[in-house]
C-alpha cells in the first residue's frame, strides 16, 4: 500500500512505535547529555585497593565508593589532600562497621578538570521557604531543590558513564561548593543565605525528582583540614545519602545547621547511628538504602529495593521507618 494513502492517525501510531523501539524502552530511561569536556581520569598506581578493601566480606551489605581528585587545584588550596581524603574514607569504614555495612573502594582517580568546576553553586536559590503547615521533609517533597546548570555540567563532565552510576557513591573533591537557602531575617521577611560547605551530599530527600538518576550518588568534599572534619565528614555525608535524613537526632528535628552533641547526623563530635523509633530509625533506614548490595551464590550483586517515589524522606521503601512530626512556625503566628 502507498504510504501516502495511509490515514494520518495510522502514520502517527507507526512513528510513535518506531520511536519507542529505537529508545529501547517506554521513554522513562534517563538520557545522559553529551559533554565535550569529559575529564580524562587516571587511576593512582601507588594505591593498593586490595589492602584498603581487605576486610570487605562477600556476604555483608556493601556500598561501592569511587573517589575523584582533581590534579589542578589552585596552589593555595590545602583543605583537602589525597591523604586526608583517604584518611576520612577509612574513618568512615570504621564508623559504619558496627552497623554491619561495609564500604568498598572501587577506585581513586586523578585528572585535570575545567577550572570553572573547582568552585560551584550547588543548587538554584529556593523560592518558597518552609512554614508551619508542613514539616521540613514534606516541604522538600513539594519544593525540591534543583542543581544549577553549572553544577550539572560539572558533574556530567566528572562522573564517568557506567551502568551502575545510580548505585555508586562518588566522592568528588572540589575547592568550594556553595549551598544557598532561605532563612527568616526579621518579622515576616526571609533572606537568602549561602553556606560554604565542607561536604555536600545532594540527598534525594532534598532534590527528589530534580536529581538526575546517574548523578544521585554524587557527594562533594571541600574541607578536611580540621581534625573533626577529617574523621567525620565523609561518614556524615554518607549518612545523608544512605540514611536519607537531614541534620537530626532523636528528639532533634532536622534543620540546615544543627550544632549539638549527639549522633553522626548532627554537627558535632558524635558518631552514633541509633536504631528504633527513638533513634529516628537511622540504622534501619541506612540498611534499606538502594545503594546497598550483597553477593548471591554465583557472585552477582543483589541490590536493595530501589526508590519508588524519587527517594524523598517518606518514600514507600521505608514503610513505617519514618517520623511524622509537625512543622514549626518560623515567625510570629500573629504576623
Amino acid at each position: 500500500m502507498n504510504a501516502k494513502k495511509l490515514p494520518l492517525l495510522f502514520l502517527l501510531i507507526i512513528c510513535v512505535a518506531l520511536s519507542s523501539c529505537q529508545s529501547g524502552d517506554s521513554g522513562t530511561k534517563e538520557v545522559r547529555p553529551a559533554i565535550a569536556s569529559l575529564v580524562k581520569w587516571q587511576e593512582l598506581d601507588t594505591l593498593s585497593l586490595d589492602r584498603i578493601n581487605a576486610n570487605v566480606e562477600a556476604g555483608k551489605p556493601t556500598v561501592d565508593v569511587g573517589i575523584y581528585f582533581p590534579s589542578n587545584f589552585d596552589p593555595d588550596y590545602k583543605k583537602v589532600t589525597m591523604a586526608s581524603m583517604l584518611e576520612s574514607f577509612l574513618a568512615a569504614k570504621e564508623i559504619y562497621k558496627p552497623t554491619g555495612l561495609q564500604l568498598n573502594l572501587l577506585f581513586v582517580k586523578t585528572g585535570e578538570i575545567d577550572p570553572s568546576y573547582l568552585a560551584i553553586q550547588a543548587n538554584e536559590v529556593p523560592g518558597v521557604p518552609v512554614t508551619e503547615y508542613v514539616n521540613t521533609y514534606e516541604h522538600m517533597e513539594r519544593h525540591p531543590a534543583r542543581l544549577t546548570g553549572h553544577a550539572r555540567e560539572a558533574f556530567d563532565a566528572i562522573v564517568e558513564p557506567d551502568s551502575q552510576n545510580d548505585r555508586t557513591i562518588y566522592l568528588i573533591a572540589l575547592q568550594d561548593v556553595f549551598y544557598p537557602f532561605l532563612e527568616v531575617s526579621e518579622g515576616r521577611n526571609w533572606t537568602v543565605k549561602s553556606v560554604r560547605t565542607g561536604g555536600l551530599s545532594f540527598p534525594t530527600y532534598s532534590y527528589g525528582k530534580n536529581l538526575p538518576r546517574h548523578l544521585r550518588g554524587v557527594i562533594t568534599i571541600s574541607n578536611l583540614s580540621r581534625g573533626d572534619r577529617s574523621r567525620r565528614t565523609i561518614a556524615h555525608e554518607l549518612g545523608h545519602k544512605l540514611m536519607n535524613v537531614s541534620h537530626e537526632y532523636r528528639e532533634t528535628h532536622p534543620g540546615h545547621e544543627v550544632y549539638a552533641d549527639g549522633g553522626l547526623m548532627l554537627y558535632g563530635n558524635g558518631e552514633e547511628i541509633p536504631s528504633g523509633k527513638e533513634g529516628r530509625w537511622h540504622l534501619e533506614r541506612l540498611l534499606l538504602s538502594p545503594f546497598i548490595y550483597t553477593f548471591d551464590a554465583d557472585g552477582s550483586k543483589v541490590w536493595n529495593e530501589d526508590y519508588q517515589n524519587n527517594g524523598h524522606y517518606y518514600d514507600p521503601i521505608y514503610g513505617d521507618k519514618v517520623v511524622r512530626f509537625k512543622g514549626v512556625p518560623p515567625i510570629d503566628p500573629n504576623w
Side-chain angles (χ1 to χ4, degrees):
M1 182 181 292
N2 191 326
K4 293 181 179 179
K5 296 182 180 180
L6 290 173
L8 178 60
L9 180 59
F10 186 54
L11 284 174
L12 287 173
I13 292 173
I14 291 175
C15 290
V16 171
L18 286 174
S19 176
S20 296
C21 291
Q22 289 171 351
S23 67
D25 58 21
S26 61
T28 59
K29 187 175 181 180
E30 180 185 43
V31 177
R32 181 176 176 132
I35 300 294
S37 57
L38 290 174
V39 179
K40 296 179 180 178
W41 296 106
Q42 293 184 332
E43 293 201 45
L44 290 183
D45 296 332
T46 57
L47 187 69
S48 174
L49 292 180
D50 289 340
R51 176 177 294 182
I52 292 175
N53 296 324
N55 58 354
V56 174
E57 300 178 28
K60 293 184 177 180
T62 306
V63 171
D64 284 340
V65 180
I67 294 177
Y68 289 117
F69 193 90
S71 61
N72 58 322
F73 283 131
D74 289 320
D76 289 338
Y77 177 71
K78 308 293 184 185
K79 292 190 179 299
V80 179
T81 65
M82 185 68 76
S84 66
M85 194 79 156
L86 292 173
E87 287 172 6
S88 189
F89 174 79
L90 292 174
K93 285 172 68 78
E94 180 182 332
I95 289 169
Y96 282 97
K97 187 176 180 180
T99 71
L101 178 68
Q102 47 191 11
L103 305 179
N104 178 57
L105 187 59
L106 291 179
F107 60 79
V108 178
K109 296 183 179 181
T110 186
E112 184 173 337
I113 70 173
D114 184 322
S116 75
Y117 300 156
L118 292 172
I120 63 172
Q121 178 177 310
N123 55 283
E124 301 289 353
V125 175
V128 181
V130 61
T131 57
E132 69 269 30
Y133 305 115
V134 295
N135 69 41
T136 301
Y137 293 129
E138 292 166 327
H139 176 80
M140 289 177 175
E141 182 183 357
R142 296 179 184 184
H143 304 281
R146 187 182 299 274
L147 292 176
T148 63
H150 185 227
R152 169 71 188 267
E153 179 185 295
F155 296 149
D156 278 329
I158 290 170
V159 177
E160 300 161 291
D162 186 86
S163 62
Q164 294 179 351
N165 279 142
D166 58 344
R167 300 282 193 166
T168 305
I169 300 294
Y170 299 102
L171 301 176
I172 301 173
L174 295 178
Q175 290 182 182
D176 274 315
V177 178
F178 293 95
Y179 179 84
F181 61 96
L182 295 173
E183 186 175 272
V184 175
S185 55
E186 60 179 353
R188 57 191 175 100
N189 300 313
W190 271 260
T191 187
V192 177
K193 282 193 170 184
S194 187
V195 61
R196 190 184 194 186
T197 65
L200 191 61
S201 58
F202 301 87
T204 55
Y205 68 75
S206 178
Y207 288 81
K209 62 185 178 181
N210 291 335
L211 190 64
R213 186 178 177 90
H214 67 282
L215 298 178
R216 70 182 188 178
V218 164
I219 293 175
T220 56
I221 303 296
S222 303
N223 189 353
L224 298 174
S225 61
R226 296 199 330 237
D228 57 334
R229 289 189 186 277
S230 180
R231 177 164 176 83
R232 293 179 73 255
T233 295
I234 287 180
H236 176 88
E237 299 307 327
L238 283 170
H240 286 309
K241 189 74 80 177
L242 302 177
M243 298 177 215
N244 206 12
V245 300
S246 185
H247 302 115
E248 58 167 49
Y249 178 71
R250 298 191 181 275
E251 298 302 317
T252 303
H253 292 323
H256 282 297
E257 297 176 305
V258 183
Y259 294 87
D261 292 330
L264 180 63
M265 299 317 299
L266 296 181
Y267 288 150
N269 296 317
E271 297 181 359
E272 182 192 7
I273 301 173
S275 64
K277 183 177 180 180
E278 67 281 0
R280 305 184 79 93
W281 307 109
H282 283 188
L283 177 61
E284 291 81 0
R285 291 176 64 89
L286 170 70
L287 297 177
L288 287 169
S289 173
F291 290 97
I292 292 177
Y293 68 87
T294 55
F295 285 108
D296 63 14
D298 66 1
S300 299
K301 291 180 178 179
V302 179
W303 297 96
N304 276 359
E305 181 182 3
D306 202 358
Y307 298 127
Q308 296 178 25
N309 194 3
N310 303 310
H312 63 78
Y313 175 82
Y314 294 106
D315 193 283
I317 70 166
Y318 296 113
D320 63 354
K321 304 301 186 290
V322 297
V323 179
R324 303 283 179 181
F325 58 101
K326 291 185 176 295
V328 177
I331 65 173
D332 184 342
N334 296 317
W335 64 274

